[in-house]
Amino acid sequence: MTDRPQRPNAPARTEDSDETLARQACAGNQDAFGALVIRYQAQARRVARAILGDADAADDAAQDAFLAALQHLRSFDA
């Protein structure tokens, strides 16, 4: 599938690539970043739980990781 340019506020599509969603999120599309979070939240939680051993702490750590990702999204290298 070829990534097609979309308006910044166009609905994010779950089948879009990470690069496309990151580009849309950088342009202000909050749904695009949400799609990335949905795509990776289970994996992030699993890793955090394996490291921390506590479900609540792991959920907090995963949330912190997504916040950091959002803050540094412009440096994403596909």
Side-chain angles (χ1 to χ4, degrees):
M1 175 183 302
T2 304
D3 292 337
R4 65 185 188 336
Q6 294 185 357
R7 298 179 323 275
N9 294 321
R13 298 176 315 147
T14 55
E15 67 271 9
D16 283 340
S17 70
D18 290 350
E19 180 180 5
T20 297
L21 291 171
R23 206 174 329 113
Q24 291 174 358
C26 283
N29 186 335
Q30 294 176 354
D31 289 338
F33 187 74
L36 287 169
V37 169
I38 289 167
R39 184 175 291 173
Y40 290 105
Q41 69 184 350
Q43 182 178 358
R45 285 177 166 166
R46 270 194 307 275
V47 171
R49 284 182 184 143
I51 293 169
L52 298 172
D54 177 81
D56 291 331
D59 288 345
D60 288 343
Q63 183 175 350
D64 289 345
F66 285 116
L67 179 58
L70 178 60
Q71 292 170 339
H72 299 284
L73 194 57
R74 295 200 187 281
S75 64
F76 174 74
D77 182 7

